[in-house]
Amino acid sequence: MLNNKKSTSHLYNRTASEWIRTQPISLSDFTARPFILELCEPVHELRVLDLGCGEGYCSRELSRRGAVQVHGIDISQGMIEAARLQELEEALEITYEIGCATNLKQFGNGEIDLIVAVFLFNYLTIDQTQECMKEVVRVLRPGGRFVFSIPHPSFPYMREAAYPFYFQVEERGYFSKRDQLFPGRIWKRDGSWLNVQLIHKTLEDYFNALKIAGFNTMPTLQELHVTSEHIALDESFFSPLLDLPLHLAIRVSK
Ligand SMILES: C[S@@+](CC[C@H](N)C(=O)[O-])C[C@H]1O[C@@H](n2cnc3c(N)ncnc32)[C@H](O)[C@@H]1O
């Protein structure tokens, strides 16, 4: 059986210091996170849970945008230590704890207004994604929102393994390679890169998981990509990805 939770925490314990940032630096800090944070609005006065919070980049931004309470959970001890260090630098009263997104037993039913999961599900199998989304529905208050981003499921099959972002899948396998783990890499604008992973799932897998969990409202979906503003900012960095679907951002209400 795929021991993905162990390999994920090893990967992130090893690389936690490379993720620490106080401003946008990696590709998806430009092509994904600003759009995801906008999808979370309005966040003023909300109780927020950030699943797979990493070193806290999105937790901090949600707190600065006025969330009254932010909890971050991550499976990697190294990432949680990095997040707590950032909290010492800038005290936002965010609480961070080591935990697994498939079991949120520390939270009661309906006690959270907004749950976010920014590039968490590419580390979870189909079954784990379903478990996690069931917990999300349980912990969200009625009318609460769930906002998450994933690598666009088609992206790995549309591009070779090259700068500045890839997942190294076999040439074909969109349907046959579900639940298989592939390595990937995403670059920063300073020329360094972050090693990432993908447990491949189809679009149908994600929408089935939402349905099984009990979400029954129409989600808002954005296919995120390189824009003319990105090109104007740094053409050599962003242009290799022009016109490709990079990420999906999804918001759904309970
Ligand atoms: C690509 S990083 C993104 C971190 C953060 N959300 C951000 O946007 O900067 C993915 C994070 O998900 C965490 N993660 C993966 N599987 C997890 C699980 N089962 N439970 C909690 N966190 C998990 C990893 O440890 C890692 O910190």
Side-chain angles (χ1 to χ4, degrees), residues 4-5 8-9 11-13 19 21 28-29 33 36 50-59 73-77 79-80 97-103 116-124 128 132 149 186 195-197:
N4 59 307
K5 291 185 182 173
T8 299
S9 47
L11 169 66
Y12 281 97
N13 287 341
W19 283 84
R21 62 228 194 263
S28 51
D29 290 342
R33 289 182 183 83
I36 295 154
D50 183 1
L51 298 177
C53 62
E55 56 75 65
Y57 185 88
C58 297
S59 301
I73 286 187
D74 201 282
I75 203 165
S76 153
Q77 181 178 347
M79 289 300 243
I80 290 298
E97 68 174 306
I98 301 167
C100 182
T102 60
N103 183 344
V116 299
V118 179
F119 299 117
L120 163 74
F121 291 116
N122 42 307
Y123 296 87
L124 269 53
Q128 291 163 352
C132 174
S149 63
I186 189 161
N195 288 323
V196 289
Q197 288 180 352

Side-chain angles (χ1 to χ4, degrees), residues 37-50:
L37 290 163
E38 214 37 52
L39 261 189
C40 292
E41 290 287 4
V43 296
H44 194 66
E45 296 294 318
L46 297 191
R47 297 159 298 176
V48 176
L49 174 57
D50 183 1

Side-chain angles (χ1 to χ4, degrees), residues 16-204:
S17 61
E18 297 164 20
W19 283 84
I20 296 176
R21 62 228 194 263
T22 52
Q23 51 188 6
I25 173 138
S26 78
L27 178 89
S28 51
D29 290 342
F30 296 90
T31 54
R33 289 182 183 83
F35 302 94
I36 295 154
L37 290 163
E38 214 37 52
L39 261 189
C40 292
E41 290 287 4
V43 296
H44 194 66
E45 296 294 318
L46 297 191
R47 297 159 298 176
V48 176
L49 174 57
D50 183 1
L51 298 177
C53 62
E55 56 75 65
Y57 185 88
C58 297
S59 301
R60 291 191 294 278
E61 189 51 38
L62 290 164
S63 174
R64 291 185 195 116
R65 287 173 180 232
V68 68
Q69 190 180 302
V70 182
H71 301 286
I73 286 187
D74 201 282
I75 203 165
S76 153
Q77 181 178 347
M79 289 300 243
I80 290 298
E81 283 167 4
R84 288 180 180 150
L85 265 180
Q86 299 276 305
E87 180 66 22
L88 288 180
E89 298 281 315
E90 182 188 1
L92 292 166
E93 301 195 4
I94 303 170
T95 52
Y96 294 106
E97 68 174 306
I98 301 167
C100 182
T102 60
N103 183 344
L104 305 176
K105 61 180 181 311
Q106 60 276 52
F107 297 97
N109 296 353
E111 72 172 62
I112 300 288
D113 303 304
L114 169 69
I115 300 186
V116 299
V118 179
F119 299 117
L120 163 74
F121 291 116
N122 42 307
Y123 296 87
L124 269 53
T125 62
I126 296 168
D127 284 351
Q128 291 163 352
T129 299
Q130 292 176 5
E131 282 171 52
C132 174
M133 289 194 186
K134 281 183 197 160
E135 280 290 77
V136 166
V137 168
R138 183 184 65 76
V139 169
L140 270 184
R141 70 158 163 82
R145 288 171 289 136
F146 180 38
V147 176
F148 65 98
S149 63
I150 51 176
H152 195 296
S154 306
F155 170 72
Y157 296 95
M158 297 175 83
R159 186 162 196 267
E160 73 283 12
Y163 171 91
F165 181 34
Y166 70 81
F167 291 104
Q168 195 164 10
V169 295
E170 285 142 42
E171 199 181 322
R172 286 199 193 172
Y174 184 81
F175 293 104
S176 60
K177 301 290 194 287
R178 292 161 67 228
D179 260 353
Q180 287 199 20
L181 190 150
F182 299 101
R185 210 168 252 190
I186 189 161
W187 267 257
K188 302 184 197 175
R189 280 184 63 206
D190 65 8
S192 61
W193 64 81
L194 297 161
N195 288 323
V196 289
Q197 288 180 352
L198 170 72
I199 296 181
H200 173 62
K201 290 175 284 301
T202 63
L203 199 51
E204 192 173 314

Side-chain angles (χ1 to χ4, degrees), residues 203-235:
L203 199 51
E204 192 173 314
D205 292 325
Y206 284 107
F207 276 77
N208 277 341
L210 287 169
K211 190 171 163 193
I212 290 166
F215 283 108
N216 51 24
T217 60
M218 172 77 99
T220 298
L221 181 145
Q222 292 180 0
E223 295 183 285
L224 301 177
H225 54 91
V226 165
T227 64
S228 51
E229 287 79 14
H230 295 130
I231 299 293
L233 177 70
D234 189 342
E235 185 170 2

